[in-house]
Amino acid sequence: MLFRGKKVYYFNTTSTEDILDLEKSEVSMFDGYITDIRSIVFKAITHCPPALFKIENHITHPPIATQEFVDAVAESGLTGLIFEELT
């Protein structure tokens, strides 16, 4: 796709992970879906999540990237992506 005369790409991950500890996180829910996240606590997981994924039941939230993904973007020279560290 062209945007202001430059070729741009769009990517929307459809991968979701049940990774959010709902009991320890501060979230608002409506009809079984997360509507707001104020504090994130992840569950302990035994598998390697995808490099880029969304939180299950909160697909409108921006995707979460692993550190490996962030590093790969930096090494590739891609521009225009902004990452915010989750604490």
Side-chain angles (χ1 to χ4, degrees), residues 50-61:
L52 195 63
F53 63 91
K54 292 184 178 182
I55 295 173
E56 190 171 290
N57 294 327
H58 193 42
I59 59 173
T60 59
H61 190 272

Side-chain angles (χ1 to χ4, degrees), residues 31-42:
D31 202 22
Y33 290 93
I34 300 166
T35 57
D36 184 44
I37 300 175
R38 293 173 300 287
S39 171
I40 292 179
V41 177
F42 292 116

Side-chain angles (χ1 to χ4, degrees), residues 38 40 42 61 63-67 70-71 82-87:
R38 293 173 300 287
I40 292 179
F42 292 116
H61 190 272
I64 294 177
T66 62
Q67 186 62 51
V70 174
D71 294 344
I82 300 170
F83 298 99
E84 183 177 321
E85 186 173 355
L86 298 174
T87 56

Side-chain angles (χ1 to χ4, degrees), residues 6-45:
K6 292 184 180 182
K7 188 183 256 187
V8 296
Y9 300 88
Y10 175 78
F11 175 77
N12 179 34
T13 183
T14 57
S15 296
T16 61
E17 287 286 315
D18 182 15
I19 196 168
L20 189 63
D21 186 328
L22 292 174
E23 291 182 11
K24 295 179 182 174
S25 298
E26 292 179 38
V27 301
S28 297
M29 305 276 297
F30 178 76
D31 202 22
Y33 290 93
I34 300 166
T35 57
D36 184 44
I37 300 175
R38 293 173 300 287
S39 171
I40 292 179
V41 177
F42 292 116
K43 296 177 183 177
I45 58 171

